[in-house]
Amino acid sequence: MEALIPVINKLQDVFNTVGSDSIQLPQIVVLGSQSSGKSSVIESVVGRSFLPRGTGIVTRRPLVLQLIYSPLDDRENRSAENGTSNAEEWGRFLHTKKCFTDFDEIRKEIENETERAAGNNKGICPEPINLKIFSTHVVNLTLVDLPGITKVPVGDQPEDIEAQIKELVLKYIENPNSIILAVTAANTDMATSEALKLAKDVDPDGRRTLAVVTKLDLMDAGTDAIDILCGRVIPVKLGIIGVMNRSQKDIMDQKHIDDQMKDEAAFLQRKYPTLATRNGTPYLAKTLNRLLMHHIRDCLPDLKTRVNIMATQFQSLLNSYGEDVSDKSQTLLQIITKFSSAYCCTIEGTARNIETTELCGGARMGYIFHETFGRTLDSIHPLAGLSKMDILTAIRNATGPRPALFVPEVSFELLVKRQIRRLEEPSLRCVELIHEEMQRIVQHCGNEVQQEMLRFPKLHEKIVDVVTQLLRRRLPHTNVMVENIVAIELAYINTKHPDFHKDAALVPSLLKTDSDPYSQINLGQRRANTPRNHMSPQISSHSAGSQQPQQQPPQSSSSQQQYSQVHEQNHVGENSTPSMASSWLSNILPPATTRPDSIENSTNNTPVHNNIVSPVKPVNLLPDVPANHNPRRLTDKEQKDCDVIEHLIKSYFYIVRKSIQDSVPKAIMHFLVNYVKDNLQSELVTHLYKSDKAETLLNESDHIAVRRKEAADMLKALTRANHIISEIRETHMW
């Protein structure tokens, strides 16, 4: 059973060599308030004075102390090289290979290491100091000396020194494999012991807490610690042991520990004769050894399981870092092939490691095509940015100086091309989004390729550069093709398109009015056959003074011809020659305006100038020419013309938008995505494998090399630890 503690010491050595604290080994943590006597207790157990002593806070770094019993015939720990073959006691620090046979030098080394990390003005540091003491007089123990719990900061200590020390203490005592040694001075009230309070917080059942009462000889006269030592004041499950320490004067006088042990035994026999055999430093050392052995026995099964789990994890980590490269050309070609395959699989959605947190690769491209690009095109209204006055202006500009009876086709083409051009910008933006996603796929090519990229940073940088250059070369070709798709739609407005022809056939229904066209024809005949002086006042005023004659909708060929003849007779005369010019001219000229050189008075055959009361004033039309789109109310004919153009624009725009929404993704896939997939590996081979710098591309990063070494060392340590524990199992030591 006693061999269990050396096993733990070996395990501690194994993990100390790799600097790992991931596995918490069984150990004894010494806990207490400042100046409660923790260091004195440890020195009494060791039997030598080697710890820094003084007033105030002295222990400012955790000290992990391993006591190893080493008899003179111990060939495992003794060697002639370091001069310990015949030495009774010596110490060795983890940070130096030197063996210290002088314990005063050990004290100086602890002080120097403390000042190096924590400063020289009362500061603390959580980094531990590891010290082994080999002796023929000690029992096998692993002790941790912690800074004393304090309340008020002094020196360079920060304002939150109390919180920092508590956090440091809790880090050690929360370890379920540790035994808590709560130290309290006998000349203070046990009910106010900060050590017992913290121990109870982390160990409420008290299964791993042992209390030590120090300074028994400093209690007030007339008082004793019998009730405390018997557990009648505060019960502790593992027991309460009283010890007597050296005073500060004894330390200054360099009183030997052996003399102090004799004085302690005499004091206990004199003051507490019935409890003398169950108190004192020797009994404390034996009790700690016994408790630690039983605790180790209980912890070893779980410890073995933990070691096996960590060994598996570090083996996987080491495998991920890969082995040293022997054939760089073959390795480079394998990485290129693996990257190309992973890149294409990410686009096609056949990768082994599929993302579950976000869309990437081909799935994101599909989302861009069908959701982003589709919604953007659907959000573009066919008449966006096009007002009624814009349409009317286009109609007027398309007719020139001649008013037209029908809506000119040129105005429709002009306006629909303007709206189709609005589809070019979102199409080019779709190309840009696909280009960005293909660039981003480099970072989502799978964990295996990512690990290779991290392992060889120069190769990763070069691969990213080759992919970027390939995408940049294909981007202009794809943009030109998308621009050509829009230009093709603008080049020829196919008014005979089957879908558009159906909507164009509905235009006559938009031009219909509520009145019957044949009633208008009959009305025109009545106007022609009725003398002027017998006209009704309403019709007479309408034909003579109306500034805006009512527009008639276009009729069928027969009815329109009949309507035109009657209309011409009404405004020009029965003997006038019917013509189209007379029709639209009579609609825009005021009826009171006549040509003085050709019109005579038809009633009394008197020249016109005999009836002129005042000279005829010339009409100035220039001020009435609109310079801008001044808002006004449209006439019925203008409103109908605008409605016809809007209807045709909507119909044709929807046809073109549907075509572009289908053609643009196809063009992007052909000119960009599929081209890169088909030519990626050849590009990488051309620029990487055949280059003269292929050897330098496989230089590992220092980061990966260090991580591989750390993982290998840790795996070796875990394997050794597992072997040590297995040996104990084979010898049935638990």
Side-chain angles (χ1 to χ4, degrees):
M1 184 72 71
E2 293 181 356
L4 289 177
I5 296 179
V7 168
I8 293 299
N9 291 334
K10 290 181 180 180
L11 293 178
Q12 187 69 53
D13 294 341
V14 168
F15 296 122
N16 286 339
T17 55
V18 294
S20 174
D21 57 353
S22 55
I23 294 183
Q24 298 173 325
L25 298 174
Q27 56 192 3
I28 299 172
V29 181
V30 183
L31 171 65
S33 300
Q34 182 175 305
S35 300
S36 60
K38 304 185 307 301
S39 298
S40 297
V41 171
I42 294 176
E43 287 184 339
S44 298
V45 172
V46 176
R48 297 299 297 267
S49 178
F50 64 97
L51 295 177
R53 306 299 294 271
T55 58
I57 183 170
V58 178
T59 304
R60 298 187 287 132
R61 288 182 62 180
L63 176 65
V64 179
L65 177 62
Q66 293 177 257
L67 302 181
I68 301 174
Y69 173 70
S70 178
L72 294 176
D73 58 350
D74 184 7
R75 299 306 175 202
E76 182 179 355
N77 297 315
R78 297 174 179 270
S79 65
E81 297 177 357
N82 51 29
T84 60
S85 298
N86 299 318
E88 291 188 2
E89 299 172 306
W90 74 93
R92 187 169 63 230
F93 289 93
L94 179 63
H95 60 270
T96 178
K97 300 299 183 181
K98 179 181 178 182
C99 290
F100 296 85
T101 56
D102 188 352
F103 281 80
D104 290 334
E105 293 183 3
I106 293 178
R107 180 188 300 109
K108 292 179 181 178
E109 185 67 21
I110 294 175
E111 292 174 350
N112 294 335
E113 280 296 303
T114 301
E115 292 181 359
R116 181 187 62 81
N120 54 6
N121 196 6
K122 308 302 182 181
I124 67 169
C125 176
E127 182 183 354
I129 300 175
N130 292 86
L131 172 63
K132 290 182 181 180
I133 293 182
F134 302 85
S135 175
T136 58
H137 308 295
V138 298
V139 293
N140 291 306
L141 289 176
T142 299
L143 302 170
V144 180
D145 187 18
L146 296 176
I149 302 171
T150 185
K151 298 292 184 181
V152 180
V154 295
D156 290 340
Q157 294 177 351
E159 294 296 328
D160 61 340
I161 184 64
E162 179 184 4
Q164 289 188 20
I165 293 179
K166 282 188 177 180
E167 181 180 359
L168 175 61
V169 168
L170 290 174
K171 175 184 175 182
Y172 284 90
I173 65 176
E174 284 178 344
N175 175 13
N177 294 335
S178 65
I179 295 176
I180 303 173
L181 188 63
V183 179
T184 305
N187 55 359
T188 61
D189 192 350
M190 287 284 290
T192 62
S193 174
E194 192 72 22
L196 289 175
K197 179 180 180 301
L198 290 176
K200 188 175 181 180
D201 291 340
V202 298
D203 182 32
D205 297 333
R207 294 181 179 179
R208 53 188 183 92
T209 301
L210 175 66
V212 175
V213 179
T214 61
K215 304 181 181 181
L216 292 175
D217 56 329
L218 299 182
M219 296 185 67
D220 293 339
T223 62
D224 56 40
I226 292 179
D227 291 339
I228 296 176
L229 297 177
C230 292
R232 291 193 284 265
V233 176
I234 296 179
V236 179
K237 184 173 293 187
L238 295 184
I240 301 175
I241 300 175
V243 297
M244 187 179 74
N245 302 331
R246 291 183 300 169
S247 65
Q248 187 64 32
K249 185 177 183 305
D250 294 335
I251 296 173
M252 294 174 62
D253 295 340
Q254 298 183 354
K255 183 179 180 180
H256 200 274
I257 298 294
D258 293 339
D259 297 334
Q260 173 63 26
M261 301 280 281
K262 294 177 182 178
D263 293 342
E264 179 188 49
F267 174 80
L268 291 175
Q269 287 292 342
R270 182 178 67 256
K271 189 70 175 179
Y272 307 100
T274 58
L275 302 177
T277 56
R278 290 184 285 124
N279 289 276
T281 302
Y283 181 78
L284 173 63
K286 292 179 182 179
T287 302
L288 291 176
N289 181 267
R290 176 176 53 83
L291 292 176
L292 186 58
M293 284 191 299
H294 286 284
H295 197 63
I296 291 172
R297 182 192 59 187
D298 296 336
C299 296
L300 274 180
D302 293 337
L303 184 61
K304 180 177 175 61
T305 302
R306 177 64 176 162
V307 168
N308 290 333
I309 293 174
M310 289 191 64
T312 304
Q313 294 174 348
F314 276 92
Q315 182 64 57
S316 301
L317 182 62
L318 186 61
N319 293 337
S320 66
Y321 291 143
E323 299 179 356
D324 293 336
V325 179
S326 57
D327 188 350
K328 291 190 175 182
S329 298
Q330 182 180 359
T331 303
L332 179 60
L333 187 59
Q334 290 175 352
I335 294 175
I336 290 175
T337 304
K338 186 185 297 185
F339 174 82
S340 302
S341 177
Y343 190 91
C344 296
C345 289
T346 304
I347 295 178
E348 297 169 358
T350 58
R352 289 188 300 175
N353 299 317
I354 299 177
E355 282 283 346
T356 58
T357 57
E358 62 175 347
L359 293 178
C360 67
R364 191 174 182 86
M365 292 180 188
Y367 183 86
I368 293 173
F369 286 148
H370 305 300
E371 298 294 333
T372 305
F373 181 58
R375 284 200 305 264
T376 302
L377 292 186
D378 292 340
S379 66
I380 301 177
H381 194 273
L383 302 176
L386 198 63
S387 64
K388 294 283 188 181
M389 294 307 299
D390 293 335
I391 298 175
L392 186 60
T393 300
I395 295 175
R396 289 180 175 180
N397 290 336
T399 59
R402 302 174 305 281
L405 291 176
F406 304 101
V407 178
E409 185 177 354
V410 177
S411 62
F412 161 71
E413 290 191 5
L414 176 67
L415 294 173
V416 79
K417 286 182 179 180
R418 171 182 168 181
Q419 299 306 104
I420 291 175
R421 287 191 183 93
R422 299 171 64 89
L423 300 176
E424 182 176 4
E425 182 179 354
S427 300
L428 294 177
R429 177 58 181 164
C430 181
V431 178
E432 183 180 351
L433 291 176
I434 298 298
H435 175 266
E436 292 176 356
E437 177 57 26
M438 295 192 70
Q439 185 70 46
R440 200 170 68 97
I441 290 177
V442 179
Q443 309 299 329
H444 293 271
C445 289
N447 294 332
E448 295 182 3
V449 180
Q450 285 298 310
Q451 189 60 42
E452 298 294 341
M453 298 299 100
L454 292 175
R455 183 181 178 187
F456 306 110
K458 292 183 179 180
L459 178 60
H460 179 222
E461 182 180 352
K462 195 64 179 177
I463 287 178
V464 172
D465 183 62
V466 171
V467 175
T468 302
Q469 293 300 327
L470 179 60
L471 291 174
R472 286 179 180 176
R473 290 200 305 270
R474 296 307 303 172
L475 185 60
H477 297 280
T478 310
N479 285 333
V480 168
M481 185 59 197
V482 171
E483 291 172 354
N484 286 337
I485 290 176
V486 180
I488 288 170
E489 298 292 345
L490 295 173
Y492 179 64
I493 305 300
N494 183 18
T495 56
K496 290 297 183 179
H497 192 282
D499 296 336
F500 180 75
H501 190 67
K502 297 176 183 178
D503 292 332
L506 300 176
V507 171
S509 63
L510 299 175
L511 301 176
K512 288 183 179 181
T513 60
D514 295 336
S515 58
D516 189 356
Y518 294 101
S519 64
Q520 298 294 332
I521 295 175
N522 296 332
L523 176 61
Q525 291 176 348
R526 288 196 300 270
R527 288 179 179 176
N529 297 329
T530 303
R532 291 181 181 272
N533 56 355
H534 290 92
M535 278 183 169
S536 64
Q538 182 178 2
I539 297 178
S540 177
S541 63
H542 176 75
S543 61
S546 176
Q547 297 297 328
Q548 296 180 353
Q550 183 176 3
Q551 304 296 326
Q552 300 296 330
Q555 310 294 329
S556 61
S557 58
S558 58
S559 61
Q560 184 175 358
Q561 183 177 3
Q562 184 179 5
Y563 172 78
S564 300
Q565 294 175 358
V566 175
H567 194 69
E568 292 170 0
Q569 294 175 1
N570 187 32
H571 288 275
V572 181
E574 295 179 1
N575 297 327
S576 301
T577 302
S579 65
M580 183 179 296
S582 62
S583 174
W584 58 260
L585 187 61
S586 63
N587 287 333
I588 63 173
L589 291 179
T593 303
T594 57
R595 294 188 346 188
D597 56 344
S598 61
I599 301 179
E600 296 182 352
N601 194 319
S602 60
T603 304
N604 51 11
N605 296 326
T606 304
V608 176
H609 66 271
N610 293 334
N611 295 329
I612 295 176
V613 179
S614 59
V616 178
K617 296 182 179 180
V619 179
N620 185 11
L621 297 178
L622 291 179
D624 298 332
V625 177
N628 299 316
H629 298 305
N630 296 324
R632 63 178 179 83
R633 185 174 182 180
L634 303 181
T635 64
D636 291 342
K637 183 177 184 306
E638 291 171 344
Q639 183 65 42
K640 291 176 182 178
D641 291 345
C642 292
D643 292 341
V644 169
I645 293 296
E646 288 181 354
H647 178 76
L648 296 178
I649 289 175
K650 287 182 178 179
S651 176
Y652 197 81
F653 182 85
Y654 289 142
I655 295 173
V656 174
R657 187 176 71 182
K658 182 179 179 181
S659 176
I660 289 179
Q661 189 171 353
D662 178 65
S663 301
V664 168
K666 293 179 179 179
I668 295 174
M669 288 297 298
H670 176 72
F671 285 90
L672 183 62
V673 179
N674 291 341
Y675 184 90
V676 172
K677 284 171 52 181
D678 297 338
N679 296 274
L680 178 59
Q681 185 167 355
S682 61
E683 287 285 327
L684 292 174
V685 170
T686 301
H687 292 85
L688 302 181
Y689 185 72
K690 296 181 180 180
S691 66
D692 298 334
K693 299 180 180 179
E695 292 293 327
T696 62
L697 294 177
L698 292 182
N699 291 335
E700 271 189 327
S701 65
D702 297 336
H703 173 74
I704 294 297
V706 171
R707 288 294 182 88
R708 182 191 293 108
K709 185 179 183 304
E710 291 177 352
D713 293 342
M714 190 63 189
L715 181 61
K716 183 178 179 181
L718 291 169
T719 304
R720 183 182 173 190
N722 193 13
H723 180 68
I724 293 172
I725 298 175
S726 298
E727 284 183 351
I728 301 176
R729 179 185 291 273
E730 291 174 0
T731 55
H732 305 285
M733 299 191 66
W734 80 65

